[in-house]
Amino acid sequence: MRQRPRTLAVLAEWAAERHGTSTALRFRSPGGGWEETGYEALRASVRDIGRGLLALGVRPGDRVAILAETRPEWTRAYLAVLAAGGVVVPVYPTAGQDELLWVLGDSGARVVVCEDAGQSDRVAAVRAKLPELRHVVLMEGGGDGALVLDALPGRAPLAELLARADARTGDDVCSIVYTSGTTGPPKGCLLTHGNFSAVDDATADLLGGGPDDSSFLYLPLAHLFAQLVQLSTLVQGGRLCYFGGRIENVVAELAEVRPTYLPSVPRLFEKVHAGVLALAESRGPDGRARFDAAIRTGLEVAGLRDRGGEPGGELLAAWREAEEDLFSLVRAAFGGRLRLALTGAAPIAPQTLDFLRACGIAVFEGYGMTESTGVISLNHPGAVRPGTVGRPVGCEVRIAEDGEVLVRGPGVFPGYHADPAATAEVLEADGWLRTGDLGSLDADGFLALTGRKKDLIITSGGKNLAPSPVEFALQQSRWISRAVLVGDRRPYPVALLTLDAEEIAGWARREGVEPGTRPGRHPAVRALCQEAVDAANRQVSRPARIRGFAVLDGDFTVADGALTPTLKLRRAAIARRYAREIDDLYEALREEKIHEQAIHETDAV
């Protein structure tokens, strides 16, 4: 087992002693250039902020919220709060006012560290309802007596801060991470220092890494996935490279920073795949044919090398041509140094994984939840099975009689903050966590997921349908951004679809089509969607097949309440918002059926 700090409270001290002046953080300066912070400088900053927090009155166990985008100040504030013996409460910067009020109030946060005046104004708007809140601290800006993170008034003795950090144990709560629930207010998951250490230990040897690694960090640090990347990178002595998180800018940023490690949601990889495919298709039928042939060649060579062989003859010649024309260019788009990429939070399209594998980019899919400190299973070098989320990592997994995935291990959380009833619903007396996910284990221990228990649709005919497989199949289409299966207490399922605006726009330019401001109503666009529906229907059982679909005018967003901050569907909210479209769709299908029946009866006569 590799060396690591005893708790996260001493991480900054521990890392500085081992990694010294090596670069810890790399980020954009206000002028547009690059700035770097070494491990010793990071420790000095954490000490200053931590001593300032003690002077503000932060006590062991006090909750300190962080409301900001991914940036180096987030990391420094996080480490300082833990060193002061506090508990970090991450808040998504995109959270609505109701969610912001709930998280700050439910956690009993005494201090909120805000990115800027805009976020502090949001806190000010609800502060009268937050009796526990004592201080608001800004990462940037100031004036009018505002508290600023890097210039907190007063400094407690350094010895007091070090003693406070050293006193924390693995059983102490490190963070309260609120799950972005699809129904009801978020629940606060209590995560201990020991939970984080256990997960870091379990994944370290599987994923590798070291001082030469650069981690590209664009995911929100409010999300546990990004926090785990932050932890593992700093323990290994690597570099955290921060970006703003706009997925449309990520490819250009990757080419600039040239990371060795890329944690991401599937959408980034799928966007790169779609972009390369669109470029190939713009070169006519021959362009698409050459692309498909190159991918087949790349996959054949990858499989051969996995078995210890090397290509020769015609295969080698074909691979060299594809390497020059396609593979090397795709790797360069990711910076050209990528050692490993990790994806989770949602399924990734198999054809995207095939595309990246053919190009020589290793992307590994994993699975976890906040209640398991982010990791349950993982595909990793030497143990990959397509269509699964890998083998259990540092924990036990079993499948209940009803198909639910159960997990037990040192990464499983102790419960929800101030909610023993909710804790009892998911934690069994013997330590097994009910994940709420449905899945299966194969003979070699690889876990496959099939959906969420609470998302099951029961038709009026009594059929139980898991929406995830057909929704995932629909979203394999380049043209579809989101798909929602509807059919609870209805005779059969239908789907609500949203379009990928960029892909539709590119297709329209190539085809000379003018889809207008509501492209989902254009016959040619609907034909593309129908092809996607037909393809999805071929992959699922007859009861789950979609009988009709509606294409919505806009995509789902966090702002309109259709998505959680982690981009999961809020199904109930979507059903309420689009109730008329759903009813109209079923009515149209009913009338179509009546019309077809009338024609049939007339023909019979």
Side-chain angles (χ1 to χ4, degrees):
M1 184 184 297
R2 67 171 178 173
Q3 288 188 330
R4 60 164 172 80
R6 189 168 55 85
T7 69
L8 275 67
V10 297
L11 175 55
E13 298 288 332
W14 182 93
E17 291 173 2
R18 283 156 181 78
H19 309 311
T21 58
S22 298
T23 300
L25 315 179
R26 191 164 182 253
F27 51 95
R28 287 284 193 189
S29 67
W34 283 97
E35 291 187 20
E36 295 182 346
T37 298
Y39 278 89
E40 290 179 351
L42 175 61
R43 174 178 61 184
S45 176
V46 168
R47 284 177 171 182
D48 284 345
I49 297 170
R51 292 167 64 196
L53 291 173
L54 293 187
L56 284 182
V58 173
R59 302 163 303 186
D62 277 356
R63 272 76 70 193
V64 179
I66 303 178
L67 175 62
E69 299 283 356
T70 294
R71 52 189 293 167
E73 292 87 351
W74 207 107
T75 298
R76 294 194 285 114
Y78 176 86
L79 295 174
V81 171
L82 298 180
V87 174
V88 174
V89 181
V91 187
Y92 281 93
T94 55
Q97 283 298 97
D98 288 345
E99 184 170 335
L100 174 64
L101 174 61
W102 170 259
V103 171
L104 296 181
D106 183 69
S107 66
R110 294 180 63 83
V111 178
V112 181
V113 179
C114 294
E115 180 164 17
D116 52 25
Q119 292 289 17
S120 68
D121 287 347
R122 296 181 60 210
V123 175
V126 296
R127 188 162 185 175
K129 300 178 182 178
L130 299 170
E132 298 293 326
L133 185 59
R134 295 290 181 267
H135 302 287
V136 176
V137 178
L138 295 178
M139 290 181 176
E140 65 179 46
D144 298 326
L147 296 173
V148 180
L149 187 66
D150 288 326
L152 291 174
R155 289 286 189 276
L158 176 60
E160 182 181 349
L161 178 71
L162 297 179
R164 184 81 68 86
D166 192 57
R168 305 306 280 172
T169 72
D171 292 333
D172 287 322
V173 173
C174 167
S175 186
I176 305 177
V177 179
Y178 280 78
T179 60
S180 49
T182 56
T183 58
K187 296 189 289 291
C189 295
L190 300 171
L191 299 177
T192 68
H193 290 270
N195 288 148
F196 277 94
S197 295
V199 168
D200 188 49
D201 286 345
T203 56
D205 291 339
L206 302 182
L207 300 179
D212 294 329
D213 272 317
S214 292
S215 300
F216 184 92
L217 195 60
Y218 81 96
L219 299 171
L221 273 164
H223 195 288
L224 193 56
F225 189 9
Q227 293 171 43
L228 292 172
V229 172
Q230 176 179 257
L231 170 61
S232 64
T233 302
L234 295 178
V235 170
Q236 293 163 355
R239 293 175 294 279
L240 285 171
C241 302
Y242 300 84
F243 282 91
R246 293 181 63 84
I247 202 164
E248 60 268 27
N249 298 334
V250 166
V251 173
E253 294 165 345
L254 283 168
E256 184 174 2
V257 77
R258 303 184 67 228
T260 60
Y261 178 44
L262 173 62
S264 178
V265 293
R267 191 63 176 153
L268 169 63
F269 304 113
E270 291 166 354
K271 293 288 282 185
V272 172
H273 180 204
V276 174
L277 185 56
L279 180 61
E281 290 179 344
S282 70
R283 298 171 177 170
D286 184 58
R288 177 60 190 263
R290 290 183 63 187
F291 174 87
D292 290 342
I295 298 305
R296 287 194 297 271
T297 297
L299 288 173
E300 186 175 352
V301 170
L304 182 63
R305 287 174 170 168
D306 284 346
R307 297 188 295 273
E310 282 294 328
E314 293 183 0
L315 178 60
L316 178 60
W319 179 84
R320 284 175 172 168
E321 181 180 357
E323 167 70 10
E324 182 177 353
D325 293 343
L326 176 63
F327 301 158
S328 63
L329 301 179
V330 172
R331 292 198 304 275
F334 285 95
R337 297 198 313 141
L338 198 59
R339 176 183 64 81
L340 181 144
L342 197 63
T343 186
I348 186 169
Q351 59 265 38
T352 296
L353 287 176
D354 285 346
F355 161 73
L356 294 168
R357 175 172 159 79
C359 293
I361 295 173
V363 179
F364 300 98
E365 190 173 6
Y367 159 63
M369 56 193 303
T370 307
E371 290 85 345
S372 68
T373 320
V375 177
I376 291 173
S377 63
L378 183 66
N379 284 293
H380 56 84
V384 177
R385 182 149 299 173
T388 77
V389 289
R391 287 174 172 151
V393 175
C395 63
E396 303 172 77
V397 171
R398 65 181 176 88
I399 308 300
E401 290 185 3
D402 63 356
E404 184 176 8
V405 178
L406 306 181
V407 180
R408 183 170 64 181
V412 171
F413 79 146
Y416 295 113
H417 172 65
D419 198 341
T423 300
E425 288 179 4
V426 300
L427 273 184
E428 297 182 352
D430 54 359
W432 287 99
L433 168 68
R434 300 186 185 100
T435 65
D437 290 309
L438 301 172
S440 61
L441 287 167
D442 68 15
D444 297 316
F446 286 88
L447 176 64
L449 301 177
T450 56
R452 293 283 292 168
K453 279 180 67 174
K454 67 180 181 182
D455 290 343
L456 283 176
I457 291 171
I458 304 177
T459 67
S460 57
K463 296 290 186 181
N464 287 8
L465 307 178
S468 295
V470 69
E471 290 170 350
F472 179 52
L474 282 165
Q475 288 165 189
Q476 314 272 319
S477 167
R478 294 162 54 197
W479 323 117
I480 294 175
S481 173
R482 290 278 184 173
V484 180
L485 196 70
V486 177
D488 205 44
R489 291 171 292 180
R490 302 275 194 169
Y492 42 74
V494 298
L496 300 178
L497 308 179
T498 68
L499 299 174
D500 187 310
E502 291 182 17
E503 289 296 318
I504 291 295
W507 166 85
R509 286 192 299 271
R510 292 191 299 272
E511 299 296 322
V513 173
E514 292 290 340
T517 57
R518 306 176 83 176
R521 306 197 175 201
H522 193 285
V525 175
R526 286 192 60 83
L528 293 176
C529 294
Q530 184 64 62
E531 291 175 5
V533 168
D534 293 342
N537 280 343
R538 288 193 290 270
Q539 299 180 45
V540 297
S541 64
R542 183 177 295 276
R545 291 175 186 168
I546 297 163
R547 295 284 294 275
F549 64 90
V551 183
L552 305 179
D553 290 333
D555 209 345
F556 303 131
T557 67
V558 175
D560 68 13
L563 300 178
T564 71
T566 52
L567 305 184
K568 295 182 177 67
L569 296 170
R570 295 189 189 272
R571 295 181 184 275
I574 292 169
R576 288 193 300 270
R577 181 171 182 177
Y578 296 102
R580 176 172 292 183
E581 286 84 351
I582 294 169
D583 288 341
D584 289 348
L585 181 54
Y586 275 105
E587 179 61 22
L589 289 168
R590 189 182 71 85
E591 291 178 356
E592 180 181 319
K593 182 177 181 180
I594 292 173
H595 180 65
E596 290 176 351
Q597 185 176 351
I599 292 175
H600 177 72
E601 290 173 352
T602 300
D603 290 344
V605 171

